[in-house]
Amino acid sequence: MSQSRDLTLRRANRRSQLREYAIQGLLIACSFVAIFTTIGIVASLAFEAIRFFGKIPITEFLFSLEWSPQTAIRADQVGASGKFGVLPLLSGTLLISFIAMSVATPLGLLSAVYLAEFAKPKTRNMIKPLLELLAGIPTVVYGFFAALVVAPIIRGMGAGAGFEISSESALAAGSVMGIMLVPFISSLSDDVINAVPQALRDASYGMGATHTETVTKVVLPAATPGIIGSLLLAVSRAIGETMIVVMAAGLAANLTANPFEAVTTMTVQIVTLLTGDQEFDSAKTLAAFAIALFLLVLTLGLNIVALRTVDKYKKKYA
Amino acid sequence: MNTDALSAETGAKPIMTARNVDVFYGKKQAIDNVSLDIPENQITALIGPSGCGKSTFLRCFNRMNDTIQICRVKGDIKFAGQDIYDPKVDVVALRSRIGMVFQKANPFPKSIFENVAYGPKIHSLAESKDHLEDIVITSLKRAGLYDEVSDRLDEPGTSLSGGQQQRLCIARAIAVDPQIILMDEPCSALDPIATAIIEELMDSMKEKYTIVIVTHSMQQAARVSQQTAFFHLGELVESGDTQAIFTNPEKERTQNYISGRIG
Amino acid sequence: MPDYLLSTSPAMAKRHARHTRFQWYGRIAIAISISFMLLMFTAIFFRGIGAFQKTMIAVDVQFTESQIDPSGTRDENSLKQANYKPILLQGLQQVIPGATERRDRNNLYKLLSNGATFDLGERVARKPELIGTSQRVWVAASSEVDLYVKGKIDPDVPEDLRRLKDRDIAWIETLRASGQVKKQFNKTFFTSGDSRAPEMAGILSAALGSFFSLLICFLIAFPLGILTAVYLEEYARKSRLTDLIEVNINNLAAVPSIVFGLLGLAIFLNFFNLPRSTPLVGGMVLALMTLPTIIIASRSILRSIPQATRDAALGLGASKTQTTFHHVVPLAMPGMLTGTILGMARALGETAPLLMIGMVAFIVDVPKGVTDVATALPVQIFLWADSPEKGFVELTSAAIMVLLVFLILMNVFAVYLRKKLERRW
């Protein structure tokens, strides 16, 4: 064995070693983009929000019951600096999300149960893509439909029943958003239901339970943590949803629980504050970032709780 | 062919009879022309190497095979003289008469009490809350579990040990007051001590119930059963009095299995 | 026969009835969702289908030189910008002689689209020999006339509730009677940008804006996404760091899309001073948004590739990198591409983040590159949906139809790709 060959091998080895390191470095750099994105989001929102809290005290933002961000028209109009209480926006967001969830939960869960437990494979293979189609429709389309078709229908039904419904009612936006969430809930719950071990179903059938009794008394209770997780994910979606509410809910910051009235949401206000002519240092535009930070904390919090619940559930039956 | 050939050995009255049963999974035949009687208030053991079809055959008795879509059962199975595959028969009602205990203990993720109460509740067997409690306690006692869990009935069933879980499943099956209890290798996941407890339990249970047990352990079959049926490759090779099968089998294949030449 | 075994016993019947009922709840729930979708599609279809046609009015025009090109230079720009209103009006007055008052003349002229004079200008500039001749030209009708001809304005509505008055309608009918009104395929819709006038508005600039944004999105998100997935699946050992990256990705997938828009606004626009309202920034924001989807999809594809593939390559003395990029990644490529296209299909429908970075402008010109000011299809839909003119309802619905067709095409392409390139292992 010649020594020179040995050397070439070693040199080639070192070179390929270097290349391995270089490529690995590149890959690590790519994965860091995700972390930088998160840091970027948190930093940019926090930075602008802090500037906002320099102008408007955080206590007013969190506890004031009034939202009217119309700032002074003339620079010397110091008093008219607007009211920046986030609570009416939060209540509007929660009201619409609540309506959406009251539509989406029964529809989504019943669909999931039917598809996972009762439907023949052929039906299942036909229905599932149809429901997924519903999830693929852009939200701007839902928004257009809500404003153009659903809101007038709801208004008309209200008029028929003799009471007034705002043309931008929380009900219209919420119910359409509910339909949007159905496929989301049904596919997550479908997974969860399928994860319930067959042994539990067998035990129930072996006792002489009907299929429905098995589903309602064994499968669903066993799947409850997972289902709650998927519902929480859906709530987080509803809270962050923008286009439907921008197009179908109003701008009026009403602190109300009446689904027939117009309410506004956090996302609607972010859009309103940041589109059109803007002056980047005004409390008005900075407020959008404070709302967004609030929104982020809310959705991420929900999300983390939801993922934990689902994870724990999956481990239980893994 | 004399279909009664395999039922004549004992004097006990059969509560369940199977005649010329074939089972198919899709195109594959899992059970080939099996006829067998199950005598009342005795323990019948189905033995044979794994994959011989004994569990499949057991699941015909309470139509658990119905839950498998590709599974088809042909032949004639009678319970108390009634053809259980008759379209008029309600499989739900049938299973409340013929309970089942599975290979791996499968308590519901509910409390011990709720596990046992499940059957009586769905079949509306209890007239009152007290009555329900009564049924639960009696069942737990019959399954020999009550003394161990009497102070923690509201703890989850899954918190019990493996052997206790299996006895919980037996209590759950007893709670609907079935006539027959099918046991599909109930001890295969248990340690020897837990196994011994369950075997003892089965012995005391046969006063009130008819038991059919699938087991891969010949020793277990010999210990607990009065009747034994030996399955091989989807066929019933031989059946009869346990004593006779183990000491003096008629067929060579049985002899080979018992002596360990077929695994 | 013991009757308790029979399904006819009352207790059993009740339980089975409950089973049947419960199954129906499921069916009804699915039916509600799907019929909602069908209702939405039909509503949009019937509102939007009309936009693919547009009403044209024939005018007999006298291309008098004194009016169009008094200097006689035939200069292209001056021909384009000449005032064609008088000759169009004259042409109309030949059919409707009654309209002589100033206000009547204005109203009569308003039957035509504002674009009609530009249209004539283009024609004359292209073919100057028209000057001095008399021609019948078909020009676009105004949006109100268009709606009336399509039957979307009810003449029975009290006159003061509509913009098209009784006399306008009479004029249209006169024109129609002399064969001077027709509907034809609405090319404008596909070939022009936005406009304040519905009959002149099109989706081309928005569609190109979407195209450029998606291009940028793909160029950034695809390599980043699959390389991240490769790192996490093939290289990374389980550590705090990889856990952190994983948690990060999962949570990013749930961040509301509008927050990504704010990120773009604060970082890309205000900090890096990238050009506002451009597909470049839009694409970057969409890329960050789709990245988690692509990573998650690619990881599951990589995970599904059997260990044997890796062992075989490693066993031949291939390095980790060679194994990964010569053997594992090619196998996973179709799946990862499919995941990316599905992610991009979602990005195509995204509106909110683009609003934040100013891609919500009124864009007439067709963008020629990624740094031109542009809007995007869904944003165009949002803008039109917000416009008060009735004619825009039709356009909005039509634009939605186009958007949905693109989405379906992307999905079909993704599925096709998966089927076509899928290798069995």
Side-chain angles (χ1 to χ4, degrees):
Chain A
M1 195 51 80
S2 78
Q3 219 174 353
S4 73
R5 197 186 150 196
D6 216 38
L7 259 177
T8 357
L9 261 177
R10 212 180 297 161
R11 207 173 306 139
N13 248 342
R14 200 172 316 133
R15 215 177 315 130
S16 69
Q17 193 76 48
L18 272 175
R19 218 185 50 202
E20 293 278 310
Y21 281 137
I23 287 175
Q24 203 155 334
L26 174 76
L27 293 179
I28 294 179
C30 287
S31 340
F32 267 77
V33 171
I35 293 189
F36 287 142
T37 309
T38 312
I39 295 176
I41 288 175
V42 173
S44 58
L45 295 189
F47 182 70
E48 307 292 351
I50 288 169
R51 283 172 66 196
F52 172 73
F53 294 132
K55 294 171 194 275
I56 309 289
I58 188 165
T59 43
E60 183 194 324
F61 179 70
L62 289 179
F63 303 115
S64 160
L65 299 182
E66 237 183 293
W67 174 265
S68 57
Q70 295 321 315
T71 36
I73 300 162
R74 295 194 319 275
D76 55 334
Q77 247 183 320
V78 186
S81 65
K83 292 279 198 312
F84 291 96
V86 78
L87 284 180
L89 310 187
L90 180 65
S91 84
T93 305
L94 293 182
L95 175 62
I96 288 183
S97 305
F98 177 78
I99 295 168
M101 290 306 288
S102 346
V103 172
T105 306
L107 290 184
L109 284 186
L110 285 171
S111 308
V113 167
Y114 183 78
L115 288 177
E117 292 283 338
F118 301 123
K120 291 194 190 80
K122 225 172 130 189
T123 324
R124 187 183 154 89
N125 290 340
M126 210 175 64
I127 301 286
K128 269 201 105 171
L130 270 178
L131 281 181
E132 274 159 24
L133 195 62
L134 210 52
I137 297 173
T139 52
V140 69
V141 179
Y142 283 103
F144 175 66
F145 185 68
L148 195 74
V149 178
V150 178
I153 290 177
I154 289 179
R155 219 180 123 105
M157 290 196 316
F163 59 98
E164 193 158 329
I165 296 179
S166 158
S167 63
E168 293 179 324
S169 64
L171 190 59
S175 52
V176 170
M177 193 192 285
I179 299 283
M180 182 199 86
L181 293 174
V182 166
F184 194 71
I185 293 178
S186 79
S187 76
L188 282 171
S189 307
D190 192 356
D191 291 348
V192 165
I193 289 169
N194 280 324
V196 174
Q198 185 59 33
L200 290 184
R201 293 187 176 85
D202 282 348
S204 177
Y205 292 136
M207 308 280 305
T210 64
H211 198 161
T212 289
E213 285 159 354
T214 304
V215 169
T216 54
K217 299 198 167 112
V218 174
V219 176
L220 287 182
T224 302
I227 289 175
I228 289 178
S230 65
L231 292 181
L232 287 180
L233 284 177
V235 173
S236 149
R237 260 281 169 96
I239 290 177
E241 169 49 38
T242 308
M243 291 320 291
I244 295 179
V245 279
V246 166
M247 296 170 83
L251 287 172
N254 292 326
L255 196 61
T256 175
N258 182 351
F260 303 125
E261 268 185 61
V263 294
T264 192
T265 72
M266 298 193 274
T267 49
V268 171
Q269 288 305 318
I270 295 174
V271 170
T272 325
L273 292 174
L274 287 183
T275 50
D277 300 323
Q278 45 176 287
E279 193 189 324
F280 207 71
D281 283 335
S282 76
K284 227 174 112 177
T285 42
L286 291 177
F289 286 89
I291 302 171
L293 185 64
F294 194 71
L295 181 71
L296 184 73
V297 170
L298 208 61
T299 49
L300 274 194
L302 269 174
N303 207 54
I304 289 169
V305 174
L307 287 181
R308 282 240 174 104
T309 328
V310 175
D311 253 17
K312 231 199 254 161
Y313 165 78
K314 285 207 171 137
K315 281 204 187 102
K316 189 166 148 199
Y317 292 124
Chain B
M1 169 175 181
N2 178 10
T3 51
D4 289 321
L6 296 164
S7 59
E9 289 90 350
T10 57
K13 181 179 98 191
I15 185 167
M16 204 136 201
T17 58
R19 289 291 171 272
N20 310 103
V21 173
D22 294 323
V23 180
F24 299 87
Y25 286 112
K27 287 205 170 74
K28 196 178 154 279
Q29 185 160 13
I31 293 288
D32 187 5
N33 195 25
V34 169
S35 300
L36 181 69
D37 284 356
I38 307 295
E40 196 167 8
N41 288 20
Q42 289 196 6
I43 300 179
T44 304
L46 311 183
I47 62 168
S50 49
C52 67
K54 54 194 192 297
S55 286
T56 301
F57 185 64
L58 182 78
R59 290 166 71 99
C60 292
F61 286 146
N62 66 345
R63 293 181 54 179
M64 274 304 277
N65 286 327
D66 289 16
T67 61
I68 302 164
Q69 279 195 339
I70 55 163
C71 185
R72 273 182 307 124
V73 178
K74 284 196 332 202
D76 181 55
I77 301 176
K78 284 201 171 84
F79 168 61
Q82 163 67 38
D83 176 10
I84 64 167
Y85 279 89
D86 187 306
K88 275 184 291 184
V89 164
D90 196 315
V91 60
V92 165
L94 174 76
R95 288 184 194 143
S96 73
R97 311 308 308 151
I98 306 175
M100 189 154 196
V101 175
F102 297 82
Q103 186 167 2
K104 199 168 164 286
N106 51 3
F108 300 129
K110 301 169 185 261
S111 70
I112 294 171
F113 183 92
E114 285 301 326
N115 259 285
V116 183
Y118 179 74
K121 272 186 182 168
I122 57 170
H123 297 295
S124 323
L125 299 181
E127 283 132 27
S128 65
K129 239 181 125 193
D130 289 346
H131 186 196
L132 183 66
E133 218 161 281
D134 223 44
I135 294 176
V136 171
I137 290 170
T138 318
S139 308
L140 282 170
K141 277 183 180 156
R142 287 211 182 114
L145 189 61
Y146 186 69
D147 294 339
E148 292 159 59
V149 299
S150 58
D151 54 341
R152 46 179 175 142
L153 289 180
D154 49 1
E155 277 178 34
T158 44
S159 67
L160 299 173
S161 74
Q164 287 173 323
Q165 284 192 18
Q166 197 58 295
R167 275 181 285 149
L168 177 63
C169 292
I170 293 174
R172 186 173 65 184
I174 290 174
V176 285
D177 197 28
Q179 281 160 279
I180 303 180
I181 297 176
L182 308 174
M183 296 186 172
D184 189 357
E185 303 197 26
C187 303
S188 64
L190 300 182
D191 61 68
I193 296 170
T195 302
I197 295 174
I198 289 191
E199 286 177 3
E200 218 171 288
L201 171 64
M202 286 168 66
D203 199 54
S204 69
M205 279 164 64
K206 74 172 191 286
E207 305 273 306
K208 202 164 169 349
Y209 309 100
T210 304
I211 296 176
V212 185
I213 177 174
V214 162
T215 174
H216 61 270
S217 150
M218 283 177 290
Q219 290 84 346
Q220 185 170 54
R223 280 194 301 265
V224 299
S225 71
Q226 287 75 55
Q227 297 294 311
T228 296
F230 169 57
F231 283 74
H232 188 224
L233 301 175
E235 290 169 34
L236 174 59
V237 179
E238 187 170 352
S239 74
D241 184 74
T242 299
Q243 202 72 26
I245 293 253
F246 277 94
T247 52
N248 190 16
E250 280 174 21
K251 302 271 169 57
E252 202 190 331
R253 271 203 280 178
T254 321
Q255 175 70 53
N256 286 344
Y257 179 67
I258 288 165
S259 59
R261 257 172 282 172
I262 309 179
Chain C
M1 180 194 292
D3 68 330
Y4 55 79
L5 280 185
L6 299 182
S7 46
T8 43
S9 83
M12 276 337 296
K14 218 167 116 190
R15 287 168 67 188
H16 288 302
R18 200 152 61 218
H19 173 60
T20 317
R21 214 159 48 231
F22 191 67
Q23 272 186 297
W24 274 108
Y25 295 154
R27 291 196 189 104
I28 290 168
I30 291 172
I32 289 176
S33 305
I34 288 178
S35 35
F36 177 92
M37 181 167 64
L38 290 181
L39 176 69
M40 188 156 88
F41 284 161
T42 33
I44 286 170
F45 182 81
F46 284 109
R47 277 188 172 74
I49 191 71
F52 295 108
Q53 284 206 315
K54 101 191 231 187
T55 305
M56 306 295 282
I57 292 178
V59 187
D60 294 312
V61 180
Q62 193 87 41
F63 289 100
T64 33
E65 184 167 17
S66 59
Q67 181 65 42
I68 301 165
D69 192 20
S71 56
T73 54
R74 301 290 190 266
D75 172 56
E76 200 182 321
N77 271 335
S78 67
L79 287 182
K80 271 188 191 168
Q81 278 152 25
N83 187 5
Y84 293 91
K85 185 174 166 181
I87 60 170
L88 280 167
L89 192 56
Q90 278 163 22
L92 285 177
Q93 280 171 326
Q94 286 172 24
V95 195
I96 299 151
T100 47
E101 292 273 319
R102 188 187 150 81
R103 243 186 56 213
D104 290 347
R105 287 207 312 265
N106 267 338
N107 283 339
L108 180 59
Y109 183 69
K110 273 194 200 145
L111 294 184
L112 302 182
S113 160
N114 272 332
T117 97
F118 300 112
D119 188 20
L120 281 196
E122 292 281 337
R123 287 186 205 213
V124 174
R126 220 170 29 230
K127 217 171 147 196
E129 55 272 30
L130 282 174
I131 296 172
T133 64
S134 179
Q135 302 276 335
R136 166 163 283 202
V137 286
W138 287 94
V139 292
S142 74
S143 175
E144 291 290 320
V145 173
D146 184 55
L147 288 174
Y148 172 74
V149 171
K150 287 171 181 162
K152 291 191 178 166
I153 290 179
D154 182 2
D156 296 334
V157 169
E159 189 175 11
D160 45 340
L161 290 182
R162 39 184 158 87
R163 278 165 74 180
L164 206 61
K165 304 300 175 194
D166 284 346
R167 205 167 45 151
D168 300 328
I169 290 174
W171 288 339
I172 298 169
E173 290 304 336
T174 315
L175 282 168
R176 206 191 319 230
S178 64
Q180 281 174 272
V181 175
K182 71 168 180 188
K183 285 191 283 182
Q184 69 173 45
F185 176 66
N186 184 1
K187 221 173 85 187
T188 321
F189 181 67
F190 295 100
T191 54
S192 64
D194 199 3
S195 166
R196 298 274 180 234
E199 76 277 7
M200 287 159 68
I203 55 166
L204 184 62
S205 58
L208 279 173
S210 276
F211 172 76
F212 286 129
S213 303
L214 284 191
L215 189 70
I216 294 289
C217 170
F218 179 80
L219 292 178
I220 296 174
F222 182 61
L224 272 183
I226 63 168
L227 290 180
T228 305
V230 164
Y231 176 71
L232 291 176
E233 278 307 312
E234 304 290 325
Y235 284 82
R237 271 180 225 100
K238 205 160 168 47
S239 70
R240 263 225 199 118
L241 180 69
T242 51
D243 273 356
L244 182 72
I245 296 175
E246 258 199 87
V247 169
N248 232 298
I249 290 167
N250 284 338
N251 283 324
L252 271 184
V255 168
S257 60
I258 191 168
V259 171
F260 282 95
L262 288 164
L263 169 79
L265 172 61
I267 306 258
F268 297 151
L269 296 187
N270 290 340
F271 190 75
F272 287 115
N273 279 318
L274 293 173
R276 205 178 134 81
S277 309
T278 54
L280 176 67
V281 178
M284 287 165 74
V285 168
L286 293 179
L288 293 184
M289 215 192 72
T290 32
L291 200 53
T293 323
I294 296 176
I295 296 174
I296 292 169
S298 302
R299 286 188 71 179
S300 76
I301 301 287
L302 286 171
R303 225 171 298 153
S304 73
I305 290 178
Q307 190 55 35
T309 311
R310 296 176 186 96
D311 292 345
L314 287 171
L316 288 172
S319 70
K320 180 90 204 157
T321 302
Q322 285 167 331
T323 307
T324 306
F325 287 95
H326 295 176
H327 299 274
V328 179
V329 171
L331 278 177
M333 198 46 104
M336 298 198 289
L337 213 51
T338 304
T340 306
I341 293 171
L342 292 178
M344 301 232 310
R346 255 193 55 202
L348 173 60
E350 239 351 298
T351 320
L354 301 183
L355 299 182
M356 296 294 95
I357 54 149
M359 285 185 81
V360 60
F362 173 71
I363 309 288
V364 180
D365 296 326
V366 172
K368 291 184 185 62
V370 295
T371 50
D372 282 356
V373 170
T375 184
L377 258 184
V379 183
Q380 186 72 73
I381 290 168
F382 167 62
L383 284 171
W384 282 348
D386 236 18
S387 305
E389 286 92 347
K390 220 181 151 197
F392 279 118
V393 170
E394 204 179 62
L395 289 182
T396 313
S397 307
I400 288 175
M401 284 158 73
V402 172
L403 178 65
L404 291 178
V405 165
F406 277 128
L407 284 178
I408 290 169
L409 284 181
M410 284 176 86
N411 278 283
V412 168
F413 180 60
V415 172
Y416 168 79
L417 203 66
R418 185 165 48 197
K419 287 250 161 72
K420 172 101 183 168
L421 299 176
E422 193 170 62
R423 278 187 237 182
R424 295 268 154 228
W425 48 72

